[in-house]
């Protein structure tokens, strides 16, 4: 099969940790810890680094396989049950991200358009992109994610005159408990990096590339929340639904570029669309692994439409999604940390089996979804 390049893996890792997080939880993090929210991402990062190290240790035992294939081959029944759990996990993330993207477009660009129409359009577009497979998604990630990273790195220069250092002081005013609460919101979102284990089939697991993507994503999130607090102040940041959107609306370059935020939003929306494509591929790829006779390309549109309908059903409005963020880490950490730790203990190659060596020497036939 076609393999992902190191640069593509880095960009995918950045995409999976950055794009949904920057819109969803900053206001809740600042509401919990005020200006001390700037310390929340490093705590969450430490937990995700440990999780990523654990899953990399597991995957190094099985070259040329993704985690779906490993689970099914080693334990046909139990492995399929766990794989089905991960499929449901990524499907919930798909519903959440569809609703998040559709709500933002409805809020900022198309307020009179019913959100269900926006969600169905997003579903059709993401299904069309995800249908050919992960390589096309990775190539699109290289384009849009690179632009998004460049734009975020430009923000300190564009907002330097509006930044007030007193807004981030005093440091550590509220103690450690609020910071832990703020990191609770963040850890589940950036922990979605584990999805790379279900995409990678390289002979060597891309631990370093995944780490680079994680560090890029969290570093940019740290920059954004620091700017939000410094420019908008903690009180305003916690009251905005999309504080990063209001942050970029503070940019004033010239009299005729007073809506520079439209340009930046025009970069984030397609980058977030690619994130929904990754979610969709993780679901369809899992189904084809558990049910080899299933055609991933045929299922893609159906699953995308089902996820978009589920998004409006389970999250009738955006406030429901914010409430969901409070309990989501309880579910997400089970799949992102507890199960990987259990894999480290019991998921090992069969004794006396030469399957790993044969797999490395003779790549498998591509799955129908690639």
């Amino acid at each position: 099969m076609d393999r992902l390049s190191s640069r593509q893996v880095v960009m995918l890792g950045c995409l999976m940790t950055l794009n949904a997080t920057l819109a969803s939880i900053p206001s809740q993090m600042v509401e919990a810890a005020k200006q001390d929210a700037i310390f929340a991402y490093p705590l969450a990062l430490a937990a995700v680094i440990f999780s990523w190290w654990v899953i990399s240790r597991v995957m190094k035992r099985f070259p040329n396989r993704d985690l779906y294939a490993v689970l099914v081959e080693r334990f046909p029944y139990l492995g399929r049950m766990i794989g089905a759990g991960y499929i449901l996990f990524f499907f919930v993330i798909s519903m959440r991200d569809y609703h998040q993207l559709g709500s933002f477009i409805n809020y900022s660009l198309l307020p009179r358009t019913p959100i269900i129409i926006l969600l169905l359009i997003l579903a059709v577009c993401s299904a069309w992109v995800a249908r050919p497979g992960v390589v096309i998604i990775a190539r699109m990630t290289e384009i849009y994610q690179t632009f998004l990273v460049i734009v975020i790195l430009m923000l300190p220069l564009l907002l330097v005159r509006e930044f007030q250092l007193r807004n981030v002081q005093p440091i550590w005013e509220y103690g450690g408990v609020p910071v832990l609460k703020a990191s609770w919101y963040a850890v589940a979102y950036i922990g979605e990096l584990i999805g790379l284990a279900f995409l990678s089939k390289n002979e060597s697991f891309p631990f370093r590339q995944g780490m680079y993507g994680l560090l890029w994503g969290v570093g940019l999130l740290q920059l954004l929340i620091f700017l939000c607090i410094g420019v908008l102040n903690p009180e305003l940041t916690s009251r905005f639904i999309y504080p990063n959107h209001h942050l970029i609306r503070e940019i004033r370059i010239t009299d005729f570029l007073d809506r520079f935020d439209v340009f930046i939003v025009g970069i984030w929306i397609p980058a977030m669309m690619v994130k929904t494509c990754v979610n969709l591929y993780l679901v369809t790829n899992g189904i084809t692994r558990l049910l080899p006779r299933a055609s991933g390309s045929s299922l893609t549109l159906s699953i995308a439409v089902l996820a978009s309908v589920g998004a409006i059903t389970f999250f009738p409005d955006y406030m429901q999604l914010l409430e969901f963020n409070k309990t989501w880490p309880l579910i997400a950490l089970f799949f992102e940390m507890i199960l990987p730790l259990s894999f480290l203990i019991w998921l090992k190659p069969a004794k006396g089996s030469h399957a790993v060596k044969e797999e490395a020497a003779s790549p498998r036939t591509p799955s129908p979804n690639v």
Side-chain angles (χ1 to χ4, degrees):
M1 68 169 271
D2 295 324
R3 300 188 184 278
L4 303 180
S5 67
S6 297
R7 182 175 62 255
Q8 289 172 340
V9 175
V10 172
M11 286 293 101
L12 281 168
C14 180
L15 172 141
M16 297 173 77
T17 56
L18 171 67
N19 294 15
T21 313
L22 66 85
S24 204
I25 59 171
S27 62
Q28 292 176 289
M29 293 174 63
V30 177
E31 182 182 14
K34 304 301 181 183
Q35 67 270 18
D36 290 340
I38 60 176
F39 300 107
Y41 282 123
L43 290 176
L45 174 63
V48 175
I49 287 176
F50 174 72
S51 173
W52 184 241
W53 176 82
V54 169
I55 202 67
S56 70
R57 297 286 296 178
V58 174
M59 296 305 296
K60 283 180 180 179
R61 302 168 181 170
F62 303 94
N64 266 349
R65 289 171 172 83
D66 59 43
L67 191 50
Y68 281 131
V70 172
L71 290 170
V72 172
E73 291 173 11
R74 286 296 296 117
F75 301 97
Y77 298 106
L78 179 61
R80 278 182 166 82
M81 292 176 59
I82 296 174
Y86 273 105
I87 291 171
L88 182 60
F89 172 66
F90 292 123
F91 184 76
V92 172
I93 293 175
S94 295
M95 292 194 299
R96 184 204 68 195
D97 287 352
Y98 274 133
H99 193 284
Q100 183 171 249
L101 182 55
S103 295
F104 180 81
I105 295 174
N106 187 246
Y107 167 81
S108 61
L109 300 176
L110 301 171
R112 296 185 180 182
T113 304
I115 189 172
I116 186 62
I117 302 299
L118 295 175
L119 291 175
L120 291 175
I121 293 173
L122 292 173
V124 172
C125 293
S126 60
W128 181 72
V129 174
R131 186 174 182 178
V134 68
V135 175
I136 300 299
I137 298 173
R139 290 172 182 170
M140 294 187 68
T141 301
E142 281 189 285
I143 299 172
Y144 293 113
Q145 198 65 21
T146 300
F147 283 136
L148 182 61
V149 169
I150 292 172
V151 166
I152 295 176
L153 291 176
M154 291 171 54
L155 292 182
L157 297 176
L158 299 174
L159 292 166
V160 64
R161 289 183 296 180
E162 284 75 22
F163 187 87
Q164 300 291 330
L165 187 60
R166 66 174 179 269
N167 289 338
V168 298
Q169 297 173 336
I171 295 176
W172 213 253
E173 180 180 9
Y174 301 99
V177 174
V179 176
L180 289 173
K181 184 178 179 181
S183 65
W184 173 257
Y185 290 117
V187 68
Y189 274 79
I190 65 176
E192 291 172 23
L193 180 73
I194 194 176
L196 286 180
F198 296 88
L199 296 175
S200 174
K201 298 178 185 176
N202 294 353
E203 293 182 9
S204 59
F205 186 74
F207 173 76
R208 287 190 304 170
Q209 292 83 355
M211 276 293 300
Y212 294 152
L214 174 65
L215 293 175
W216 267 108
V218 176
L220 294 173
L221 289 169
Q222 182 71 31
L223 175 62
L224 285 171
I225 201 168
F226 186 73
L227 289 174
C228 281
I229 294 172
V231 173
L232 301 176
N233 75 53
E235 288 72 24
L236 283 178
T237 300
S238 64
R239 284 169 171 76
F240 288 135
I241 296 178
Y242 303 106
N244 286 314
H245 180 233
H246 289 275
L247 173 70
I248 61 177
R249 293 190 68 174
E250 295 295 320
I251 297 173
R252 298 290 186 271
I253 298 179
T254 64
D255 292 339
F256 64 91
L257 279 179
D258 60 340
R259 288 303 307 272
F260 190 70
D261 61 298
V262 175
F263 168 74
I264 300 178
V265 166
I267 294 175
W268 178 77
I269 288 177
M272 187 63 186
M273 274 288 299
V274 179
K275 170 69 162 55
T276 64
C277 296
V278 173
N279 298 336
L280 188 57
Y281 177 80
L282 288 170
V283 174
T284 56
N285 184 46
I287 293 174
T288 57
R289 292 293 179 183
L290 270 60
L291 304 172
R293 295 184 180 181
S295 172
S297 58
S298 301
L299 291 171
T300 304
L301 180 59
S302 302
I303 294 172
V305 172
L306 184 62
S308 65
V309 173
I312 199 64
T313 302
F314 290 98
F315 308 113
D317 53 54
Y318 199 76
M319 297 308 297
Q320 293 293 325
L321 185 58
L322 295 179
E323 287 297 318
F324 175 73
N325 286 339
K326 297 178 181 179
T327 55
W328 174 238
L330 284 174
I331 302 170
L333 292 179
F334 176 76
F335 291 95
E336 295 170 358
M337 293 189 180
I338 296 176
L339 277 180
L341 278 172
S342 69
F343 296 159
L344 185 64
I345 298 172
W346 59 266
L347 195 57
K348 300 177 182 179
K351 294 182 179 179
S353 173
H354 300 285
V356 172
K357 295 181 180 179
E358 292 173 0
E359 183 73 12
S362 178
R364 300 176 59 188
T365 303
S367 66
N369 199 39
V370 178

